[in-house]
Amino acid sequence: MEAAEGQRGRDGGSQRRSPFDIIMSQIRRKRSASDRKPLGRFLSRTSERTAIPEDAESENRGQSPEAAAPVDSQRDAGWGRVCVFLQKLGKKADSSSLSLAHCDLTATDLLELASLLQFLPQLEEMDVSWNELIGGSLTALTSHLQHVGGIRTLKLCSCRLNADDVGALGEALPSVPVLEILDLSWNSSVGGALQSLLGKLQPSVRELHLVACQLTAADAAALGGLVAVLPKLCVLDVSCNPRLTQEVDADGFGQLVASLSRAVSLTVLRLQACGLKPDDLEALGVSLRCLASLRQLDLSCNRSVAGGLSRLASHLPHMAHLESLDLHLCRLKRSDLEALIQVLPSLTALTALDVSSNKEAGGAVHQLVSALPLTQMRRLPMSSCRLTEESFTALALVAPYLRSLDVSWCKVVGGRLPLLMDALQPSVVLELRLSSCGLTTDDLRHLADVCRRGCVSSLRVLDLSYNGSVGDAGWAALFAAGGLGSLEEADLSLRPLTSAPCSAWLPALLGALPRMPALVQLAMQRWSAAPQEERQLRFSVKNRNIRLDWDLDGSDWKTSSQEESQTEE
């Protein structure tokens, strides 16, 4: 559907529409009448805007204090208009940062925002992401960017930008010469139009995010020509663009990869779900061995690399500063893991390795742990890896050093959780994810003892979802134990199509809430309670501004039962 929308946007660019037509068409696309923002909010101030100088500061220069006073008054009035505009959107005014993501902005709002930029000369960050109704009318904003020439961050994710929008943004980029971060992710029509923008990027750019933009081989070739001339580029994210490698008649991705060897400042490269193949890994490795500065490499969700990881692994030892390598959901084979294990001792800076959702990894944990620099490892997620008893025991060797411990969807954990919990160092682990592990009541009792001893006092995320085999006594013991003062997110949800009463342990949870001052999100999907108990819990979390995910009819499922069964298989 997004591709169709993008095509309509490109086709519509050949017919000129008046600003009024654009405004009215965008207003008609509003989801409901109650969400509509009045057109008069913009039109009523038209005469007021035209009376305000575009550069009040320059007009003020050289004038007497008496003559400058009206200009100062106008500036104050302009800031007041900014505050009123943001207040209507539920936002607070900040002269240096403008965050309007998820505000359901229309073309009318965009015009009003553009008229207010002249009163924000100190603006450094602007985020108007996830406002799909502004697609096709970005010119209204870009034509005023010269008023915020000091902007350093510009985010336009998921705005349904079309080719005309991309072109208008490209024309405006020279007016923001210190721009460092540009994010156009999740705009499917950027693909094919990116070339009109890339040539206008300034040397100051440090981060370029183009996730899920339907980039083509031609875009990749143009991007390759650009990265070599952006001396400060340190983050490049082109994830979720499978067309980069699928167009067999053009080798745009090859040109992009070849140019990476000259991106000497690159520290983060993300190529998740780009349809990479073993040949691509070989070319990528040749370039990356020249990038001594690279610290994070994300090649996850590229299932076609299965059986060909050795073509990249031979180049990894040259990446002396690599700290994070993400290979989750790549269908890695035993030969891939063996090739990786051979080079791991050379990656002396590595702190995070993700081979989760690769079932063969479950049988190679002992070799992985033996090859890793254990004392500096912070993340080694092993969810959905078919852990065995032996591999689970080996994982306990690295557990004391991990900041994040994830063994979700591994049934071997049930009944053996004490082995992992007893290995934890006090106040080290920040995330503990044990979703769908077949935990028992005794497992949660042991976790309660660990909490009581203060061993997880720094824990921020606790995921115990889909463990319906835990009895009421286990849940009650966990919340009565205390020791979770830093916890921010907790998930206790049951599986889809199941339900169980929580009346037996709900009082313990209610009593624990005051001892969890950092908690901001609590998920309890499909647990049932008496009306009075439900009201009591909702009242408690409302007073604390805690987001409660509690949907008894199962309509807000974390995943479908079909997806769950596929994951377990």
Side-chain angles (χ1 to χ4, degrees):
M1 187 175 69
E2 286 189 6
E5 285 287 337
Q7 185 62 45
R8 287 198 293 273
R10 285 191 287 271
D11 294 340
S14 61
Q15 298 179 354
R16 293 186 175 275
R17 296 187 297 168
S18 67
F20 180 78
D21 289 337
I22 295 176
I23 294 171
M24 296 309 297
S25 66
Q26 295 295 319
I27 291 177
R28 283 193 293 268
R29 289 167 57 190
K30 295 290 286 180
R31 288 194 293 268
S32 65
S34 61
D35 289 335
R36 295 179 183 174
K37 304 196 173 52
L39 185 62
R41 192 174 71 192
F42 168 71
L43 298 179
S44 63
R45 297 191 178 98
T46 302
S47 59
E48 181 181 352
R49 278 200 312 276
T50 56
I52 297 176
E54 289 189 355
D55 192 351
E57 190 171 317
S58 62
E59 291 193 7
N60 194 15
R61 192 180 298 113
Q63 295 181 357
S64 63
E66 293 78 9
V71 177
D72 292 337
S73 178
Q74 288 177 339
R75 187 183 300 112
D76 293 340
W79 175 247
R81 286 177 53 194
V82 171
C83 295
V84 170
F85 175 76
L86 294 176
Q87 186 177 13
K88 290 179 179 179
L89 298 173
K91 301 290 184 177
K92 293 183 179 180
D94 186 334
S95 61
S96 63
S97 178
L98 191 61
S99 179
L100 298 176
H102 298 281
C103 282
D104 209 14
L105 300 180
T106 66
T108 305
D109 300 316
L110 207 61
L111 284 167
E112 184 171 3
L113 173 62
S115 73
L116 299 175
L117 291 184
Q118 58 185 309
F119 307 117
L120 294 166
Q122 298 178 343
L123 192 66
E124 295 184 356
E125 299 180 9
M126 184 189 301
D127 185 357
V128 291
S129 300
W130 307 99
N131 289 289
E132 296 187 345
L133 297 180
I134 67 176
S137 56
L138 192 64
T139 305
L141 181 67
T142 58
S143 60
H144 291 76
L145 284 183
Q146 71 272 13
H147 297 301
V148 287
I151 194 169
R152 297 181 181 275
T153 300
L154 179 58
K155 296 182 179 180
L156 294 161
C157 305
S158 191
C159 291
R160 289 195 177 181
L161 303 183
N162 60 28
D164 289 340
D165 294 325
V166 176
L169 178 59
E171 293 298 324
L173 285 179
S175 63
V176 283
V178 295
L179 185 68
E180 296 180 355
I181 301 174
L182 178 61
D183 194 342
L184 302 178
S185 299
W186 306 102
N187 288 289
S188 60
S189 294
V190 169
L194 188 63
Q195 301 166 66
S196 63
L197 178 144
L198 292 179
K200 306 295 178 61
L201 286 175
Q202 303 300 300
S204 58
V205 172
R206 295 172 53 85
E207 297 186 18
L208 186 57
H209 301 266
L210 299 167
V211 179
C213 286
Q214 291 291 331
L215 300 184
T216 65
D219 294 323
L223 193 57
L226 173 74
V227 295
V229 295
L230 292 179
K232 297 182 179 180
L233 185 66
C234 57
V235 177
L236 178 61
D237 190 350
V238 292
S239 298
C240 305
N241 285 288
R243 292 176 63 189
L244 287 176
T245 57
Q246 289 176 352
E247 298 180 9
V248 295
D249 296 334
D251 191 24
F253 183 75
Q255 297 179 49
L256 170 59
V257 168
S259 67
L260 291 177
S261 61
R262 292 173 286 169
V264 293
S265 298
L266 197 65
T267 59
V268 178
L269 177 61
R270 300 190 180 107
L271 296 170
Q272 182 188 81
C274 283
L276 300 184
K277 299 177 287 295
D279 287 345
D280 299 318
L281 292 185
E282 174 71 31
L284 182 63
V286 171
S287 289
L288 294 186
R289 66 187 299 162
C290 301
L291 297 181
S293 60
L294 193 68
R295 284 172 168 75
Q296 296 182 29
L297 179 60
D298 185 354
L299 303 176
S300 61
C301 303
N302 286 289
R303 302 188 179 191
S304 296
V305 304
L309 188 62
S310 60
R311 303 178 70 170
L312 172 70
S314 60
H315 301 284
L316 290 179
H318 297 275
M319 304 176 200
H321 299 288
L322 190 65
E323 298 174 357
S324 174
L325 178 59
D326 193 343
L327 296 167
H328 84 265
L329 203 60
C330 284
R331 290 182 177 172
L332 297 182
K333 298 181 178 180
R334 183 72 184 191
S335 59
D336 296 319
L337 293 165
E338 290 174 352
L340 178 62
I341 290 168
Q342 287 181 1
V343 300
L344 283 179
S346 303
L347 302 179
T348 56
L350 197 67
T351 61
L353 174 64
D354 191 346
V355 291
S356 61
S357 298
N358 290 288
K359 295 173 183 178
E360 292 291 334
V365 174
H366 182 76
Q367 294 90 328
L368 283 170
V369 170
S370 300
L372 287 168
L374 292 186
T375 58
Q376 65 189 43
M377 291 302 297
R378 298 297 176 261
R379 291 189 69 251
L380 184 63
M382 298 298 297
S383 58
S384 299
C385 283
R386 282 186 178 171
L387 294 178
T388 64
E389 293 185 31
E390 181 183 358
S391 58
F392 184 69
T393 302
L395 187 60
L397 297 176
V398 70
Y401 311 104
L402 298 179
R403 298 288 186 269
S404 175
L405 187 58
D406 185 356
V407 288
S408 297
W409 303 95
C410 296
K411 301 303 182 185
V412 71
V413 179
R416 299 178 179 84
L417 188 62
L419 178 65
L420 209 56
M421 293 296 97
D422 291 343
L424 296 180
Q425 292 277 3
S427 305
V428 172
V429 66
L430 303 179
E431 295 184 9
L432 182 58
R433 301 187 183 275
L434 301 168
S435 178
S436 191
C437 284
L439 299 182
T440 66
T441 301
D442 287 341
D443 286 330
L444 248 63
R445 282 181 173 141
H446 193 88
L447 178 58
D449 290 338
V450 171
C451 293
R452 189 177 297 109
R453 297 197 303 266
C455 294
V456 291
S457 58
S458 298
L459 193 68
R460 298 175 185 173
V461 177
L462 177 61
D463 185 357
L464 297 173
S465 60
Y466 298 3
N467 284 290
S469 52
V470 175
D472 293 335
W475 297 111
L478 176 64
F479 295 119
L484 294 173
S486 299
L487 192 65
E488 299 174 2
E489 301 177 19
D491 192 346
L492 317 175
S493 301
L494 294 175
R495 295 176 180 274
L497 304 180
T498 64
S499 180
C502 61
S503 301
W505 53 267
L506 188 59
L509 173 60
L510 292 171
L513 288 179
R515 302 195 301 273
M516 294 188 287
L519 191 67
V520 295
Q521 184 169 340
L522 175 62
M524 294 180 54
Q525 299 288 4
R526 293 168 288 280
W527 284 102
S528 61
Q532 182 178 357
E533 295 170 332
E534 181 181 350
R535 286 194 298 269
Q536 188 176 5
L537 178 58
R538 292 190 185 278
F539 177 78
S540 299
V541 298
K542 184 178 180 180
N543 284 345
R544 287 271 309 278
N545 291 322
I546 298 172
R547 176 186 170 186
L548 178 63
D549 295 331
W550 196 9
D551 190 354
L552 298 180
D553 63 11
S555 61
D556 187 17
W557 295 351
K558 176 180 289 188
T559 181
S560 69
S561 57
Q562 181 180 6
E563 291 174 337
E564 182 182 356
S565 62
Q566 290 174 348
T567 305
E568 288 184 314
E569 290 174 3

